[in-house]
Amino acid sequence: MKRFQASKYRNAAPKIPKKEEYISGIRVGDLKSCFGNHIKASDKFMTFNVESGDFVTDMDFSPFDGRILATGSYDCSIKLWKIPDEGINQELSSTLCKLPSQSGRVENVLFHPSASEVLGSSCGTSLTVWDLQKQQSKYNLDSHGDLVQSFCWKGDGSLSATSSKDKKIRILDPRCSSIVGQCDGFSGLIDSRILWLGTTDRILGSVWDVHDLAKPIQTLRFDTSSGGILMPFFDRDTNMLFLAGKGDSFIHYLEASSSAASFLTQNSTQIFDEQHKGMAIVPKLAMDVMSGEVVRLLQLTKSTVVPLSYCVPRRMKKVSLNPMNSKTQTKQQPPKVMPQKSDVTKEKPDLQAQTASASKDKTDSQSISASDSTIESPAKPIKAFTGVRASKFRHLHGTPMHKSKNIENVHNLSISLPGDSDGFQVNRDFVAYPLSGPGGQIAVVSLTNPCRLPDAGMPTIQCGSSIMDFTMDPLNKQKIAVACENGFVSVWEIPDGGLTENIDTPSVLLKGHQDKPNVVRYHPTASGVLASAALDLTVKIWDINSAKALITLADRPWTCRKPWSSCCLGMSTRIISVYDSRNLSETLSTLEINIAPSVLIPFYDEDSAVLFLSSKAVGFLPKTVCDIKKVEFARAVKLNKTSIDLITFQVPRVKMEYFQDDLFPPSRAWWEPALTSSQWFAGENGQQKKLFLKPADMKPLSEAPKREPIARKYDSRHELDDAKTTDEQKEELISSMVEKLRSYDEEPLPQDLQEGVDDDEWDD
């Protein structure tokens, strides 16, 4: 059963820092082609590539001294540097040592993981192991059929692995200058990477067992929009594996486990705002363990270095460390003194104090608080009865609809969309979702025709560039807008009945953003109005009919035309916050839901005042599809890995033969326009019409005959009338204790009740 145990790290999620926490103001520029990651880190320093004449192809810090740095470069040299403790304040020209020049440019440099003063490097078709103390080559393995693209050490340093341009993976024993094993590696033209998974006998390219190189243990495929090389990083302490593509903006997080059904399990994929120029993993000595940080990656972009901390969410209690607050008062037993009758009045306040103190001690022993006020004062009583209004929808239940309504055989889904995108769109007739592969493809499937999708040859919208976001027009079920990585926003028209062939020409192409648009949304009431936000920090509002951006909101304050409320959803600790748009400085209400890495997407049903929170790939349909006779007030569509399912939300009612007019008020027809684009840009506002959902053959529940009231057998109000207040209960308790103390004066002492003996009875 071990394979079913949940990992402690499955919910680890990156903590995206604020802009001020970035290392900014750097000029990375266009880096030359090489097999290095362009950035490395030790527990003390980090180093990264910038544009220069003598280009550094790869670099590595010593695992035993975070000040020692090895570099290899285009000029065929390998150099060792010692960074001062205070860092580099001026150009560092003197090296710690310079190894003999190589026959060509150096591709990789990597310190040995367990032996000090041992360095490995690759150049051309050879792998060299250096003795840094003697500054000379110790072992050289020149047996590769083509250029060595990457190499790595096993965790204990006993073996090394290489991947080569000849598409071979080799296991090497450097001290014997021999090849231990060899197998076919990666096909295709893309450069390859190899990574040894700690001290295990497994290496990552596809995952291979070094004892059996005939076939891989497991193969996973990833959708990369740029075709850049994948940079792998493995933390052997937690078995966490990260894959980041050069030129891409995603990071895949996987876990390795020898006891699970599959060796590698993909946990999550995060999309970031900027593309990776390079990536590095930070040593464990630099982790903030008190925050649950288990892994930290450094993302190198064109102008910044972004620290990405992967933290395991844990609940933590904050306890005051002030010695004055931590002192506990020892309870001293009062001496057993028999009170005199004249002291009864004097003893009464002392008994009250003892009762309050006992209650306070019990409260303090059950809870720990960091505030002094909580420790000093007893907890306030909780009211047993409150005047909270009960919602009529509190007993709603959502159930999957019959499988005959589903769309089966969904496959080839794309998981590389940015986190800003919902990744799924739905209207009354169609559902749309992205497909993996180059060119940015969107599948559009008829929702009114449940079926099994074909295995291949399904017609798609072919955008010609990777998709950043897409949305369906709520006012026109045959329109869909797509934001692409090429900087354009395109509007596509779905033919009547759905797609019968591939379409690659949009009906409207919107040009104007200086960077990639990442969010696109239609206006909810005005037809032909579309808004798009881009990474150039602008929001453009387009008149689709004229294909022009009539309003551009740059990096400046702006106001809404109407007050509104919104939901702010966090990532790790998922929190709902409601704001008033007229005052965004404070929240109206905040509610913590749970702790999970995925982002919640809200949908608000204004008729029922019910807020639905879901993960990605869930959409809601118009009210006209609901079965009112079954008290269905909402219907959702959910995209799964292999199917598209329908979910119905109903409220249980007894008199279902009547129209539940208390649950179904006149509903806004949000799928019909209220005004045109020219009217909205001219400053007009419009209200969408209201739709009455009552079927013609049903009577309203409000007109149902009323039943005679049934006499209640028990009325709790009498109990409330007889209930005593807290002060009355205290008074009664004290009086009872005093009466018991009074009775002690009238009773003889225990020794007086014992019978004595004569003195002569003590004699032998």
Side-chain angles (χ1 to χ4, degrees):
M1 299 296 292
K2 187 176 180 180
R3 61 177 180 166
F4 297 106
Q5 294 179 359
S7 166
K8 297 177 182 178
Y9 308 98
R10 68 188 185 282
N11 291 328
K15 180 181 178 182
I16 310 300
K18 298 179 181 179
K19 294 286 186 181
E20 53 266 25
E21 298 178 29
Y22 291 7
I23 300 172
S24 56
I26 61 177
R27 293 182 175 272
V28 176
D30 295 326
L31 300 178
K32 296 180 181 180
S33 175
C34 68
F35 298 117
N37 290 349
H38 300 309
I39 182 171
K40 281 291 180 72
S42 71
D43 59 323
K44 297 180 175 65
F45 302 105
M46 70 172 179
T47 179
F48 53 86
N49 278 108
V50 293
E51 284 184 313
S52 63
D54 181 11
F55 187 75
V56 175
T57 55
D58 197 16
M59 63 203 83
D60 192 35
F61 282 99
S62 170
F64 311 109
D65 189 342
R67 301 169 299 173
I68 305 299
L69 174 69
T71 60
S73 64
Y74 259 67
D75 65 357
C76 311
S77 66
I78 301 175
K79 299 177 182 178
L80 262 69
W81 310 80
K82 186 172 183 179
I83 302 173
D85 292 334
E86 66 276 8
I88 300 177
N89 299 320
Q90 57 184 357
E91 184 176 349
L92 189 63
S93 57
S94 59
T95 63
L96 191 62
C97 72
K98 183 177 180 181
L99 300 179
S101 181
Q102 300 295 288
S103 58
R105 79 179 194 188
V106 178
E107 298 294 347
N108 299 278
V109 290
L110 190 63
F111 276 98
H112 194 280
S114 59
S116 62
E117 299 178 343
V118 177
L119 178 74
S121 69
S122 68
C123 173
T125 61
S126 65
L127 175 67
T128 305
V129 179
W130 300 88
D131 183 345
L132 298 180
Q133 188 176 19
K134 298 180 179 179
Q135 301 180 24
Q136 65 183 19
S137 171
K138 190 69 175 179
Y139 310 106
N140 186 270
L141 297 96
D142 191 7
S143 52
H144 296 79
D146 208 330
L147 178 67
V148 176
Q149 295 176 327
S150 72
F151 88 94
C152 62
W153 295 102
K154 188 177 179 180
D156 58 6
S158 59
L159 300 172
S160 63
T162 63
S163 66
S164 174
K165 199 172 183 180
D166 63 1
K167 310 307 176 188
K168 298 287 186 182
I169 293 177
R170 295 174 174 86
I171 309 298
L172 310 174
D173 187 347
R175 289 173 291 189
C176 297
S177 299
S178 63
I179 298 176
V180 177
Q182 177 176 306
C183 67
D184 292 330
F186 312 94
S187 60
L189 300 177
I190 299 178
D191 297 332
S192 61
R193 284 290 180 89
I194 197 75
L195 178 68
W196 209 299
L197 298 181
T199 57
T200 68
D201 289 329
R202 292 179 173 88
I203 56 177
L204 178 76
S206 298
V207 183
W208 303 83
D209 188 329
V210 298
H211 298 300
D212 182 11
L213 295 176
K215 60 179 180 179
I217 298 174
Q218 184 181 356
T219 301
L220 299 176
R221 297 183 182 276
F222 296 94
D223 178 23
T224 59
S225 57
S226 68
I229 186 172
L230 283 175
M231 298 174 287
F233 304 94
F234 182 69
D235 178 33
R236 64 182 183 182
D237 297 330
T238 60
N239 288 330
M240 300 171 71
L241 174 67
F242 301 90
L243 301 175
K246 277 188 179 180
D248 286 319
S249 56
F250 66 82
I251 295 179
H252 295 293
Y253 162 39
L254 306 93
E255 280 191 277
S257 174
S258 57
S259 59
S262 58
F263 181 73
L264 290 178
T265 303
Q266 186 166 357
N267 282 2
S268 63
T269 298
Q270 282 78 33
I271 307 296
F272 300 92
D273 294 337
E274 296 194 62
Q275 294 178 334
H276 313 315
K277 287 284 189 177
M279 192 74 66
I281 189 168
V282 179
K284 279 297 178 71
L285 287 175
M287 297 296 102
D288 184 3
V289 295
M290 297 306 295
S291 299
E293 184 183 28
V294 291
V295 171
R296 187 187 307 164
L297 300 177
L298 297 179
Q299 178 200 29
L300 178 67
T301 71
K302 61 183 179 182
S303 59
T304 60
V305 175
V306 183
L308 305 173
S309 295
Y310 280 78
C311 300
V312 177
R314 287 291 176 94
R315 296 187 181 273
M316 295 178 290
K317 289 184 179 180
K318 295 183 178 179
V319 181
S320 174
L321 298 180
N322 188 339
M324 298 300 296
N325 296 339
S326 63
K327 289 182 179 179
T328 59
Q329 296 181 355
T330 59
K331 299 180 181 179
Q332 297 182 359
Q333 297 294 335
K336 294 183 179 180
V337 178
M338 304 305 294
Q340 302 295 325
K341 291 183 179 180
S342 59
D343 294 336
V344 169
T345 307
K346 188 184 298 183
E347 290 292 332
K348 186 172 182 178
D350 294 337
L351 289 172
Q352 288 180 337
Q354 291 174 11
T355 305
S357 177
S359 175
K360 175 179 177 297
D361 291 340
K362 182 178 180 181
T363 304
D364 291 344
S365 65
Q366 293 176 348
S367 61
I368 299 175
S369 174
S371 62
D372 297 341
S373 59
T374 306
I375 296 176
E376 293 176 358
S377 60
K380 294 182 179 180
I382 300 175
K383 294 182 180 179
F385 301 94
T386 58
V388 177
R389 180 179 63 86
S391 170
K392 297 177 181 179
F393 296 87
R394 66 187 183 277
H395 297 304
L396 70 88
H397 57 86
T399 55
M401 300 186 72
H402 193 268
K403 289 187 177 181
S404 61
K405 302 286 187 180
N406 295 350
I407 297 173
E408 304 291 341
N409 199 33
V410 175
H411 56 278
N412 200 30
L413 293 174
S414 174
I415 60 172
S416 62
L417 260 67
D420 302 323
S421 176
D422 295 350
F424 183 60
Q425 290 290 304
V426 59
N427 60 31
R428 179 165 182 164
D429 290 352
F430 303 105
V431 293
Y433 55 90
L435 299 178
S436 63
Q441 302 181 62
I442 296 178
V444 179
V445 180
S446 175
L447 189 62
T448 59
N449 182 28
C451 62
R452 179 180 175 83
L453 299 178
D455 294 331
M458 189 170 65
T460 61
I461 296 175
Q462 299 183 346
C463 302
S465 180
S466 297
I467 299 168
M468 301 294 290
D469 191 22
F470 66 101
T471 183
M472 283 183 163
D473 189 344
L475 309 177
N476 188 333
K477 60 186 178 182
Q478 294 178 261
K479 297 284 188 181
I480 183 170
V482 184
C484 294
E485 199 174 40
N486 58 11
F488 300 149
V489 177
S490 53
V491 179
W492 305 78
E493 186 164 356
I494 305 171
D496 293 334
L499 297 179
T500 56
E501 60 181 1
N502 293 339
I503 57 175
D504 55 10
T505 303
S507 58
V508 179
L509 190 63
L510 306 176
K511 304 178 181 179
H513 283 296
Q514 302 300 315
D515 206 338
K516 295 180 292 187
N518 62 324
V519 177
V520 59
R521 296 289 185 270
Y522 276 100
H523 195 283
T525 61
S527 62
V529 178
L530 181 72
S532 62
L535 301 183
D536 58 6
L537 302 182
T538 63
V539 175
K540 291 184 179 292
I541 303 180
W542 308 83
D543 183 354
I544 298 179
N545 299 322
S546 62
K548 293 181 180 179
L550 301 185
I551 298 176
T552 298
L553 305 173
D555 190 12
R556 60 182 176 85
W558 57 283
T559 58
C560 296
R561 301 171 60 185
K562 183 178 179 181
W564 50 274
S565 296
S566 67
C567 288
C568 179
L569 306 177
M571 282 199 65
S572 183
T573 300
R574 302 202 284 195
I575 300 174
I576 307 173
S577 299
V578 182
Y579 295 83
D580 188 332
S581 64
R582 295 164 296 188
N583 182 17
L584 295 177
S585 61
E586 59 183 17
T587 59
L588 299 178
S589 178
T590 298
L591 177 65
E592 180 177 334
I593 300 296
N594 56 12
I595 298 178
S598 60
V599 177
L600 289 173
I601 299 175
F603 173 78
Y604 181 67
D605 180 34
E606 57 191 71
D607 296 342
S608 61
V610 172
L611 177 66
F612 294 90
L613 300 174
S614 66
S615 58
K616 287 190 176 184
V618 175
F620 284 80
L621 296 173
K623 280 292 178 74
T624 53
V625 306
C626 294
D627 190 345
I628 304 300
K629 294 184 177 181
K630 294 183 179 179
V631 202
E632 181 188 17
F633 74 97
R635 185 178 297 183
V637 183
K638 185 177 187 298
L639 175 66
N640 300 313
K641 290 184 178 180
T642 58
S643 66
I644 298 174
D645 304 342
L646 273 72
I647 303 173
T648 176
F649 295 91
Q650 300 171 309
V651 178
R653 281 294 172 97
V654 176
K655 298 180 180 180
M656 293 183 62
E657 65 273 16
Y658 292 95
F659 170 66
Q660 313 293 318
D661 50 353
D662 60 330
L663 299 183
F664 296 101
S667 180
R668 180 173 62 89
W670 49 264
W671 51 92
E672 296 183 5
L675 66 166
T676 64
S677 59
S678 58
Q679 291 173 325
W680 187 83
F681 281 109
E684 297 183 27
N685 293 320
Q687 296 291 332
Q688 292 167 313
K689 68 179 184 180
K690 296 286 186 175
L691 181 68
F692 292 91
L693 301 176
K694 187 182 80 67
D697 57 347
M698 296 185 73
K699 289 184 178 181
L701 181 65
S702 58
E703 299 178 6
K706 305 296 183 182
R707 291 184 178 182
E708 293 295 331
I710 301 174
R712 295 181 178 179
K713 295 182 179 180
Y714 171 76
D715 192 347
S716 62
R717 289 175 295 180
H718 297 300
E719 297 288 340
L720 293 177
D721 294 338
D722 297 337
K724 298 178 180 178
T725 65
T726 304
D727 292 337
E728 291 174 343
Q729 292 176 359
K730 288 182 178 179
E731 184 71 25
E732 184 177 341
L733 176 62
I734 294 171
S735 299
S736 175
M737 296 176 65
V738 171
E739 288 297 327
K740 288 183 178 181
L741 293 175
R742 277 202 193 110
S743 64
Y744 291 161
D745 289 343
E746 302 173 358
E747 294 180 0
L749 295 175
Q751 58 267 29
D752 295 337
L753 299 178
Q754 301 295 326
E755 294 184 359
V757 296
D758 294 333
D759 292 340
D760 57 355
E761 293 184 19
W762 289 97
D763 298 333
D764 292 335

